[in-house]
Amino acid sequence: MLTYIKNILIVAWIASGFMNGDTLTPKPYVINSDNTVTFNAIFPKASKVYIKGTFTPAGTFRKDSKIIMTKGGDKWTYTSEVLPSELYTYQYEVDGETLYDKQNPDHFRDIADTLSYFIVSGGIADDYIQKKVSHGQVKKVWYPSTFKEMPKRRMTVYLPPQYVQSPTKRFPVLYLLHGSGGDENSWGDAGRAIQILDNLIAEKRCEPMIVIMPNGNINLAAAPGDDPNNPNVEPSGNNTSSMFGKIESHFIKEVVDYVDNNYRTINDKAHRAIAGLSLGGLHTLFISLNNPNCFDYIGLFSAQTTNALNEKRISGVQKLGEKWEQLKNKIPFLEGSKIDDTIEKFTSDELSIYDEVDLKLKYQFKNPPKLYYIAVGRDDFVKKLNDNWRKKLSAANYSFIYNETDGAHTWENWRKYLVDFLPRLFNP
């Protein structure tokens, strides 16, 4: 019996060596004691392998540099510079083909890219790690929709641990919106919103809250691959059609009312927050602007503050829509054509969401929100838009909080903004 147990232990020890990189199968990466990171990629037949990611000297991932790796046998290696605490994403370029690291089980999809990731602890990224704390429930929920050819759309729902622990208690709600090319999975995957919420709630750094992460792409009922209406759709960052008022026009009736009717919410302005990044910032701005009695906490993260149609252009396209309707009355067979669908999309009454901004602001700040939060990076391409929006608010003496950081239009910033935003919500 002792010999048998000894043999089992030897086999286990040998197996652990393989898994830990002591023999043939190295770890995909090792975070060294000095916070450099060594990557080990196995591409036996490759002639050239590069690594590229958010830790490279180039800055943002979308404008990254690529660094040649060193070959030794079947293994390609690279050791980074010292890295501050953060969640980093990376890919390999193998003989011209971009691949995520299949040795690394940690990866997510960001628009059309599959990105591998690792976390360097010891700072801000400690909030992104899944810790041994009570975890909230995360559900993918289909809700009824009036969108054309979409009887149902999908949202992600986060319920804090206290929702189950206290079955009669009601909770405040944060509506958290994604950017262009994103979907109801984006904040949970790339944004680490679930881990951030679990950790901050457990550490009593923010109030327990329900968080709703809806899909803001009007062309899809759910994330690519999960939409039964478009099973083979390819992810795309082009969401221009989501910038013409449809999401904002239907948000209260379809999303907020559904949540209030199906979850134990405190359904008043003082217990509702809404925040979004980029395109989600555009949606946040105009949903809150057109519904001034719904949200007491508003967060604009690298927000797109305009849909590129000024009020004069909105008036012009609405007149085009009126003339088209008159023409259809005279020539009925035009209705239902592709031209009709296109003109309807861009000339509907939903564009009124974006007009009379100054008047709507005046009404919104007559009973001002408790928090109007604006955050943007100094190198972000939407910074000028945010500067102009702040000037408009300041000129009218409307109160807001401004958080300017380094960095650009990236998840590195949006995660930080969420960590800064959450503790400000629903405080007595």
Side-chain angles (χ1 to χ4, degrees):
M1 176 61 75
L2 290 175
T3 301
Y4 175 77
I5 293 173
K6 182 178 179 182
N7 288 338
I8 292 292
L9 292 173
I10 290 172
V11 171
W13 177 77
I14 292 173
S16 70
F18 276 85
M19 290 187 292
N20 289 331
D22 296 329
T23 51
L24 296 180
T25 307
K27 288 183 178 180
Y29 65 87
V30 177
I31 300 175
N32 304 307
S33 59
D34 62 352
N35 277 10
T36 60
V37 179
T38 299
F39 297 87
N40 302 290
I42 306 298
F43 295 110
K45 298 180 181 180
S47 59
K48 190 172 290 186
V49 177
Y50 293 92
I51 189 169
K52 52 187 179 180
T54 52
F55 53 85
T56 60
T60 70
F61 190 81
R62 298 300 171 194
K63 297 179 180 178
D64 61 331
S65 63
K66 56 186 182 181
I67 298 173
I68 189 72
M69 300 184 75
T70 301
K71 186 176 184 182
D74 290 342
K75 185 170 72 171
W76 297 78
T77 63
Y78 166 73
T79 298
S80 74
E81 299 176 353
V82 175
L83 300 177
S85 177
E86 186 52 85
L87 183 152
Y88 295 93
T89 58
Y90 67 99
Q91 294 172 309
Y92 292 123
E93 185 181 301
V94 183
D95 293 337
E97 182 181 5
T98 297
L99 305 168
Y100 72 96
D101 185 355
K102 293 184 179 180
Q103 292 178 271
N104 182 357
D106 297 325
H107 57 268
F108 56 76
R109 179 182 58 81
D110 185 23
I111 310 179
D113 290 323
T114 299
L115 307 175
S116 302
Y117 72 87
F118 61 94
I119 297 175
V120 176
S121 60
I124 182 65
D126 289 351
D127 291 326
Y128 313 153
I129 298 169
Q130 184 158 317
K131 301 177 183 178
K132 292 182 179 180
V133 299
S134 296
H135 300 300
Q137 293 184 351
V138 180
K139 302 181 178 184
K140 304 296 181 181
V141 177
W142 292 91
Y143 63 94
S145 173
T146 58
F147 281 26
K148 191 173 184 179
E149 298 177 355
M150 290 184 193
K152 292 185 178 181
R153 289 173 60 80
R154 196 171 77 163
M155 64 174 74
T156 298
V157 177
Y158 171 88
L159 301 174
Q162 293 82 357
Y163 193 88
V164 174
Q165 296 165 4
S166 305
T168 61
K169 184 177 180 180
R170 293 188 168 271
F171 293 85
V173 187
L174 165 63
Y175 294 87
L176 189 58
L177 313 185
H178 63 77
S180 185
D183 49 63
E184 72 276 14
N185 295 335
S186 298
W187 266 111
D189 291 345
R192 303 294 284 185
I194 310 307
Q195 291 81 7
I196 290 170
L197 285 158
D198 282 346
N199 294 335
L200 267 61
I201 291 171
E203 296 165 16
K204 300 188 184 305
R205 292 163 57 193
C206 77
E207 293 293 314
M209 67 186 77
I210 298 169
V211 179
I212 306 298
M213 293 162 270
N215 171 25
N217 183 341
I218 70 164
N219 296 317
L220 294 176
D226 295 327
D227 182 357
N229 305 310
N230 298 280
N232 300 315
V233 69
E234 293 293 328
S236 171
N238 182 5
N239 283 169
T240 305
S241 54
S242 298
M243 303 177 192
F244 290 91
K246 194 173 186 70
I247 292 294
E248 298 95 321
S249 296
H250 291 76
F251 194 84
I252 300 300
K253 186 174 181 180
E254 293 203 356
V255 177
V256 175
D257 287 354
Y258 177 86
V259 170
D260 283 341
N261 289 330
N262 288 273
Y263 298 95
R264 299 195 313 273
T265 66
I266 307 174
N267 58 349
D268 60 22
K269 178 182 178 181
H271 295 91
R272 284 199 203 102
I274 185 168
L277 69 91
S278 195
L279 172 65
L282 176 78
H283 292 162
T284 294
L285 193 160
F286 285 97
I287 290 169
S288 62
L289 190 64
N290 285 273
N291 300 279
N293 296 318
C294 282
F295 303 97
D296 237 346
Y297 302 87
I298 297 159
L300 307 180
F301 304 167
S302 303
Q304 181 184 327
T305 60
T306 173
N307 76 336
L309 287 179
N310 58 32
E311 292 185 14
K312 185 176 180 180
R313 287 173 179 165
I314 290 172
S315 177
V317 295
Q318 286 175 330
K319 288 178 180 177
L320 173 63
E322 291 171 3
K323 290 180 180 178
W324 178 252
E325 289 298 322
Q326 293 170 4
L327 185 61
K328 283 197 301 181
N329 290 334
K330 295 179 180 179
I331 311 175
F333 66 79
L334 290 175
E335 187 168 0
S337 66
K338 288 185 178 179
I339 297 175
D340 184 35
D341 290 342
T342 302
I343 290 181
E344 180 184 350
K345 181 187 295 183
F346 296 115
T347 62
S348 72
D349 289 339
E350 291 157 351
L351 280 171
S352 63
I353 283 287
Y354 302 117
D355 65 14
E356 302 291 351
V357 168
D358 291 336
L359 182 62
K360 290 174 181 176
L361 270 173
K362 185 176 181 180
Y363 190 73
Q364 183 179 25
F365 279 87
K366 186 175 181 181
N367 179 21
K370 292 180 181 176
L371 173 67
Y372 200 100
Y373 178 94
I374 301 171
V376 69
R378 282 183 283 276
D379 298 321
D380 198 316
F381 64 84
V382 299
K383 185 175 184 300
K384 189 175 189 309
L385 292 177
N386 282 253
D387 289 345
N388 292 339
W389 186 250
R390 287 191 298 114
K391 288 176 184 176
K392 179 185 285 288
L393 296 177
S394 296
N397 292 318
Y398 299 144
S399 179
F400 61 90
I401 287 177
Y402 180 53
N403 178 16
E404 183 175 305
T405 65
D406 57 6
H409 208 71
T410 65
W411 279 108
E412 285 77 10
N413 267 347
W414 302 325
R415 288 188 290 263
K416 292 175 185 175
Y417 299 158
L418 183 62
V419 171
D420 186 51
F421 185 68
L422 288 173
R424 302 173 185 271
L425 304 181
F426 313 124
N427 294 319

